[in-house]
Amino acid sequence: MLAAESTTKDRQMRNLSSYAQGEWHEAPDSGTVLHHAVTGEPVAVASSEGLNFAEILRYARRVGGPAVRKLTFHERAAALKELAKHLTDRKGEFYAESRATGATTRDSSFDIDGGIGTLFAYSSKGRRELPNARVYLDGAPELLGREGTFIGQHVAVPLRGVALQINAFNFPCWGMLEKFAPAFLAGVPTVVKPATQTSYVAESVMRSIIESGLLPEGSIQLIIGTTGDLLDHLTGQDTVAFTGSAATANKLRSHPTMLGESVRFNAEADSLNASILGPDAKPGSVEFDLYVREVVRETTIKAGQRCTAIRRAMVPAEYVEPTIDAIRAGLSKIPVGNPEDESVRMGALVSMEQREEVRRAIDAITEAAQIVVGDPDNFDVVAADAETGAFLPPLVLYADDVTAEQPHVVEAFGPVCTVLPYGAADEVVELAARGRGSLVASAFTADRRFARDVVLGAAAFHGRILLVDRDCAEEQTGHGSPLPNLVHGGPGRAGGGEELGGIRGVLHYMQRTAVQGSPYALTAVTDRWMPGAERRHSDVHPFRKNLSKLQVGDTFFGGPRTVGLEDIEAFAHSTGDTFYAHMDEAAAKANPFFDGRVAHGYLIVSWAAGMFVDPDPGPVLANYGLENLRFMSPVYPGEALRVALTCKDIQPRHAEGYGEVTWDVEVTNQKDEPVARYDVLTLVAKES
């Protein structure tokens, strides 16, 4: 396990440390000096001098990789949960560090609580949606031969490399944890390279991670400072996940090693996100008020330094003036200044350099738009000096000419939003698409047809689309909030990648392989019974076996039991299911699928259970569902049914006294023709 180390360093000015090859490496005094966003005072020194990047990657592959792969999905998920709890207990320390980035308490919650929440979310999904195993079966087996003796199965296994993450300055905690969680769950070690400007927050979180001792050694390392020749040592088994500018993404993507080794590259880059006010959302309506509130919120959270922030507000032409007035009124209630003051609701940009970059972007946009709310050269700040802090006020621009290029291609990565008028629905879809690919778009409308037109028209250009109306107002999470169970990314200039996405995010770090062979061979490879493989019958009913004795392939054969017309009618009357195919001979014969009255499908399922269930108390604790139920042939009165119950899959629950067992159920008639097939899901005790 990772070694613990004291974290009693001076937060005001310290030399940051990298964590590499199981040790902390402190930066020399000659590194890059990082300044407080509000006061301008130096807070830390960052440098990667002395690090051997080839050895860092080698350590991850040789030490971290085997240690993480040794764990099952459920064991990794349990570690994520414990880590999330550990970080939750210490998040006050991270909030204190985050102040120096110019973040308010609300801003820090998106970064710190959001990152910790992602660990919790992936832990839950790992335990619920992944097997307690080390291999993932992707989809059902594919029948490749007519007789069923040759089949195929897609499997996914962890890549034998490193998940290198290169993060942006705006989310030093969330950016690290949202990339780490799916990689760790997949079984791949991580190397973190945070943006230098806010790396002191990432270092603080990493120190707590190492101190916890909850992760296998080598499963996560931290590089503070520049990356040197790091990319030169990547291989085709490695992955790179990048968040930042499109220019940097293209530079990384075109690195000779990235191209030559076909390194998997995921980018989340520039994004001119659009938010659309529906034609039905008139001033004074619920949707109008929700829209204005969201634009105000997205413009000011983290001083607009979010890749998912609203950059383009698209409003019906006749609503432009009241919309701008309402946004102006909302922004007037947002004091800007030092986050240490409790009245402040928007802090500073992360650095003076970032402020100047935003100013240059504003100058470019104002070639085609005018500032209608705020003044970048004349504004008040609370409890701070506007000259020494990286402050800008919230700004709203208006572009009457929506065909002008600047509002659609220039991103001011700060508290800046441009209002654009539109006419018809197809026009606003085209306007949204002019962003050349975005992470997210939103539409505030109660008009279902308009919502449909926006989604179907704009989905090809966006990674996520949020629809907001009064029905979901209380629960919706907001335009700019990526969620761990949905993909985060977007096409075109947004990077062309996907992060998060629940289990999709995990599979990004795994190799999908098609395995072909006999049912016997694939059962051995996957430890899951495949149709056509051996069925083992013994005198002991499988329901009498606990998990320590039950084996994949154990089978019970039941029946025969003959279906009579009186059984069909009794089932119909007791259930109320008197569908004509079961009760009316003439009508059933007129049906193109039947030759006469047939048994209910659920009668067949019920009788199958009666033929295979062992009634006495035992290791089987509960039946919690059926999956993949198919009725394959009609059953007529007089036919005799048999059932085969086969143990298909065994998944012991981590840290529980039971596990999940999936049973294959095949029901056949007297001709050995299958009439129904499905999976029964049960909970079975580990010990009797």
Side-chain angles (χ1 to χ4, degrees):
M1 291 292 175
L2 298 173
E5 177 160 325
S6 174
T7 61
T8 58
K9 291 195 168 193
D10 179 12
R11 288 178 179 165
Q12 297 304 310
M13 177 64 177
R14 69 175 190 268
N15 291 352
L16 301 180
S17 298
S18 298
Y19 186 78
Q21 298 170 258
E23 298 178 347
W24 287 100
H25 298 262
E26 185 173 301
D29 294 337
S30 58
T32 301
V33 178
L34 311 180
H35 297 273
H36 197 292
V38 174
T39 66
E41 297 174 351
V43 295
V45 174
S47 174
S48 60
E49 184 178 328
L51 294 179
N52 186 318
F53 297 109
E55 288 301 318
I56 288 173
L57 296 177
R58 188 173 293 114
Y59 188 80
R61 297 183 190 114
R62 293 182 177 179
V63 177
V68 179
R69 291 195 300 272
K70 184 179 179 180
L71 305 176
T72 67
F73 289 114
H74 286 197
E75 289 170 332
R76 296 170 203 150
L80 289 178
K81 181 179 180 180
E82 292 305 310
L83 180 61
K85 291 161 62 177
H86 173 81
L87 296 179
T88 297
D89 292 339
R90 290 155 181 80
K91 67 181 182 180
E93 304 169 16
F94 314 145
Y95 270 75
E97 295 282 359
S98 184
R99 290 290 194 203
T101 72
T104 64
T105 299
R106 179 183 66 165
D107 297 337
S108 297
S109 70
F110 280 96
D111 183 31
I112 295 164
D113 293 83
I116 295 172
T118 299
L119 296 182
F120 276 121
Y122 267 97
S123 171
S124 176
K125 293 189 78 67
R127 286 178 282 119
R128 288 187 292 107
E129 300 179 35
L130 292 174
N132 192 14
R134 298 173 183 84
V135 60
Y136 176 79
L137 303 190
D138 187 358
E142 297 282 348
L143 185 66
L144 303 178
R146 183 174 298 176
E147 302 301 322
T149 62
F150 185 53
I151 63 174
Q153 174 69 58
H154 288 98
V155 303
V157 297
L159 290 169
R160 298 298 182 97
V162 179
L164 171 62
Q165 53 170 267
I166 303 174
N167 295 325
F169 65 79
N170 51 340
F171 285 98
C173 177
W174 180 81
M176 174 169 62
L177 298 182
E178 65 100 3
K179 293 181 176 70
F180 167 72
F184 180 79
L185 193 53
V188 178
T190 293
V191 172
V192 181
K193 165 57 182 82
T196 301
Q197 178 57 45
T198 54
S199 55
Y200 48 87
V201 179
E203 190 227 38
S204 179
V205 176
M206 180 65 74
R207 284 189 177 276
S208 188
I209 291 174
I210 303 305
E211 181 187 58
S212 75
L214 292 168
L215 302 181
E217 176 55 57
S219 58
I220 188 167
Q221 299 179 82
L222 175 71
I223 296 173
I224 298 290
T226 59
T227 56
D229 64 349
L230 178 65
L231 297 185
D232 295 340
H233 305 290
L234 296 174
T235 73
Q237 286 291 303
D238 300 318
T239 64
V240 175
F242 168 78
T243 301
S245 71
T248 304
N250 290 334
K251 183 178 179 180
L252 294 173
R253 187 183 278 115
S254 60
H255 188 281
T257 302
M258 298 286 291
L259 296 174
E261 296 288 336
S262 296
V263 178
R264 297 187 188 189
F265 182 73
N266 188 87
E268 187 260 282
D270 299 351
S271 187
L272 274 295
N273 309 297
S275 186
I276 301 167
L277 180 66
D280 61 299
K282 299 178 181 180
S285 68
V286 173
E287 285 72 25
F288 179 87
D289 292 342
L290 289 168
Y291 181 79
V292 170
R293 190 183 311 157
E294 193 70 6
V295 172
V296 170
R297 190 174 79 126
E298 287 296 312
T299 304
T300 56
I301 290 177
K302 292 192 74 71
Q305 298 169 114
R306 295 212 296 174
C307 55
T308 52
I310 296 173
R311 304 298 179 199
R312 299 176 295 156
M314 298 175 180
V315 178
E318 63 268 33
Y319 303 157
V320 165
E321 186 173 342
T323 301
I324 292 176
D325 289 343
I327 294 172
R328 180 184 294 111
L331 291 175
S332 69
K333 302 174 184 177
I334 308 292
V336 177
N338 188 342
E340 298 289 351
D341 189 296
E342 293 184 0
S343 69
V344 168
R345 294 183 60 192
M346 191 182 98
L349 276 72
V350 73
S351 67
M352 299 296 283
E353 293 79 8
Q354 179 62 19
R355 185 182 72 173
E356 293 313 305
E357 183 174 326
V358 173
R359 284 183 175 273
R360 288 192 293 271
I362 293 171
D363 290 341
I365 298 172
T366 52
E367 293 179 13
Q370 59 180 319
I371 297 176
V372 293
V373 178
D375 183 346
D377 300 314
N378 184 19
F379 58 95
D380 296 326
V381 296
V382 177
D385 187 336
E387 295 300 319
T388 58
F391 293 105
L392 269 179
L395 300 169
V396 177
L397 291 73
Y398 173 66
D400 185 59
D401 181 7
V402 297
T403 65
E405 184 178 58
Q406 290 88 338
H408 303 290
V409 299
V410 179
E411 181 180 21
F413 202 72
V416 183
C417 177
T418 301
V419 174
L420 299 158
Y422 75 88
D426 56 349
E427 180 184 348
V428 77
V429 167
E430 291 300 320
L431 283 179
R434 292 196 64 185
R436 302 178 185 175
S438 301
L439 297 171
V440 56
S442 58
F444 288 69
T445 178
D447 184 331
R448 306 296 187 255
R449 178 173 295 181
F450 179 76
R452 181 197 62 190
D453 291 344
V454 167
V455 171
L456 298 184
F461 298 92
H462 298 85
R464 178 167 59 90
I465 296 179
L466 169 69
L467 302 175
V468 179
D469 57 28
R470 64 196 68 192
D471 293 330
C472 69
E474 294 300 320
E475 287 193 324
Q476 63 98 8
T477 51
H479 170 100
S481 299
L483 300 173
N485 41 349
L486 297 176
V487 296
H488 175 50
R493 69 176 288 160
E498 288 186 353
E499 291 183 2
L500 302 177
I503 301 305
R504 295 179 185 87
V506 177
L507 295 177
H508 177 73
Y509 298 96
M510 306 183 78
Q511 176 61 45
R512 184 186 297 109
T513 301
V515 182
Q516 300 165 274
S518 70
Y520 293 88
L522 266 65
T523 295
V525 168
T526 64
D527 203 24
R528 183 181 180 95
W529 183 82
M530 298 287 171
E534 178 185 11
R535 284 173 162 146
R536 291 187 302 274
H537 177 67
S538 70
D539 294 334
V540 179
H541 194 292
F543 278 17
R544 308 308 306 166
K545 298 180 179 181
N546 58 39
L547 290 195
S548 65
K549 297 179 180 179
L550 188 64
Q551 297 182 35
V552 167
D554 284 355
T555 301
F556 175 81
F557 297 99
R561 184 173 179 182
T562 301
V563 178
L565 190 59
E566 64 279 7
D567 298 313
I568 297 174
E569 292 181 345
F571 190 86
H573 292 306
S574 65
T575 62
D577 180 0
T578 56
F579 184 63
Y580 74 87
H582 313 306
M583 305 301 290
D584 187 325
E585 184 72 20
K589 284 185 176 180
N591 186 303
F593 299 109
F594 305 132
D595 295 329
R597 294 171 69 176
V598 296
H600 303 69
Y602 296 110
L603 181 153
I604 296 169
V605 172
S606 300
W607 276 26
M611 287 187 280
F612 67 65
V613 165
D614 184 282
D616 296 327
V620 176
L621 306 174
N623 172 343
Y624 69 97
L626 303 178
E627 289 183 340
N628 308 314
L629 173 61
R630 292 293 182 272
F631 299 118
M632 305 161 78
S633 297
V635 173
Y636 298 100
E639 293 196 348
L641 302 181
R642 296 179 182 272
V643 66
L645 175 80
T646 304
C647 179
K648 186 175 185 177
D649 187 56
I650 303 173
Q651 296 294 329
R653 282 277 186 97
H654 179 71
E656 300 284 357
Y658 61 90
E660 299 167 353
V661 177
T662 302
W663 306 84
D664 177 88
V665 178
E666 183 181 44
V667 185
T668 55
N669 60 22
Q670 69 278 2
K671 300 177 183 178
D672 288 330
E673 298 170 336
V675 299
R677 189 157 207 166
Y678 53 96
D679 293 340
V680 171
L681 311 178
T682 62
L683 301 178
V684 179
K686 291 181 178 178
E687 301 293 338
S688 297

